[in-house]
Amino acid sequence: GILKSGDLLDAINNRYSQSSVWSASRLNTYGNCPFKFFADNLLQLEARSEPEMGLDPMQRGSLLHVLLEKTFTKLQARSLSLSEENYEDVLIALDESCEEIFPSAPKRYGFQPTPLWTYEQQELHRLLQVYLYWECTENQGWYKPFLQEAKFGIGDDEPGPYHVHSNDGELRLRGVIDRIDKDDHGNLLVIDYKSGSTKYYTRDIEKGLALQTALYALVAE
């Protein structure tokens, strides 16, 4: 809908002023569904869900995320590129990461492990093996892991907010880039992990429905 109430518009403008710092994911939500942005961020509504045993989709995504972060941090420390010839070393780094993360995962992510937890660990490990093999065959050793969890506009010790300039004014942006790879010529590859089934294409970025990766590319540049 279109908001017309003067009091409401004043409140929104005060909350999101020229000095506000935006996250890329929040902008992505606004571009994809303004009503969801309104409900989540202005009304602060939260969907109620029945408590469940085991991993929920968000916890599963977070666990996959941290396993990849750990794995690529190890590859970066060993100066290993993603290639088929290094795949065995990549698997060793993944195995080490799983051994470090899985034992404390229920406490860290706040879920009650079920009798299937052992099999869930095996499935997550297998899923990441397939994904890493795909990366190695696609990359062919061109890129090496360069930065993990690259923060900007968050905390005093990190780079400040990124300023996006347009004809309509300036936007200040904050966020965390999952991973940045680098080749021998200094070219950067920005990677944003998604564990869901939604697919985004160039036309979605052009329509403003998938801003996150494009904005991260600007920040990385």
Side-chain angles (χ1 to χ4, degrees):
I2 305 294
L3 303 178
K4 296 182 178 180
S5 169
D7 292 343
L8 183 56
L9 291 173
D10 288 341
I12 293 174
N13 286 327
N14 287 333
R15 181 162 185 173
Y16 297 110
S17 64
Q18 291 285 343
S19 60
S20 297
V21 180
W22 293 73
S23 69
S25 59
R26 183 172 290 181
L27 283 176
N28 206 62
T29 299
Y30 181 78
N32 194 44
C33 180
F35 180 77
K36 178 174 173 55
F37 175 88
F38 177 73
D40 290 350
N41 296 282
L42 286 164
L43 300 183
Q44 296 184 338
L45 301 179
E46 295 183 5
R48 289 187 177 183
S49 58
E50 294 293 332
E52 298 179 0
M53 294 283 286
L55 285 165
D56 63 28
M58 185 172 294
Q59 292 164 335
R60 184 174 183 271
S62 297
L63 184 51
L64 287 169
H65 190 115
V66 76
L67 286 169
L68 286 170
E69 179 194 351
K70 282 280 186 181
T71 300
F72 282 103
T73 298
K74 295 178 185 297
L75 297 177
Q76 181 179 347
R78 298 166 189 172
S79 297
L80 288 174
S81 61
L82 295 166
S83 63
E84 291 186 75
E85 64 183 18
N86 290 333
Y87 182 58
E88 292 301 321
D89 292 316
V90 172
L91 289 185
I92 291 173
L94 173 62
D95 292 343
E96 293 172 351
S97 299
C98 289
E99 291 174 2
E100 294 171 10
I101 297 298
F102 280 147
S104 61
K107 182 177 180 180
R108 179 173 183 174
Y109 296 103
F111 65 91
Q112 183 68 36
T114 69
L116 295 176
W117 172 229
T118 299
Y119 301 99
E120 288 174 331
Q121 294 176 69
Q122 295 172 0
E123 174 60 18
L124 292 173
H125 184 273
R126 185 198 65 80
L127 181 66
L128 291 178
Q129 280 184 318
V130 173
Y131 170 69
L132 291 171
Y133 180 75
W134 176 83
E135 279 229 35
C136 287
T137 54
E138 286 288 312
N139 185 45
Q140 292 296 336
W142 295 332
Y143 286 89
K144 293 181 180 178
F146 177 56
L147 289 174
Q148 316 298 315
E149 296 290 301
K151 299 178 181 179
F152 59 96
I154 301 175
D156 297 333
D157 298 331
E158 305 295 343
Y162 180 78
H163 293 250
V164 180
H165 300 277
S166 72
N167 294 332
D168 296 320
E170 182 180 270
L171 187 71
R172 299 203 300 170
L173 191 68
R174 61 174 171 81
V176 183
I177 303 174
D178 291 341
R179 185 173 121 219
I180 302 176
D181 290 358
K182 187 177 182 180
D183 70 6
D184 293 336
H185 304 287
N187 297 309
L188 300 179
L189 181 66
V190 176
I191 296 173
D192 185 57
Y193 300 130
K194 298 296 183 189
S195 58
S197 58
T198 302
K199 295 182 179 180
Y200 292 106
Y201 302 93
T202 302
R203 62 178 180 270
D204 298 316
I205 297 176
E206 293 171 347
K207 292 179 180 179
L209 301 178
L211 299 172
Q212 191 167 0
T213 306
L215 287 170
Y216 284 170
L218 282 175
V219 174
E221 186 179 35

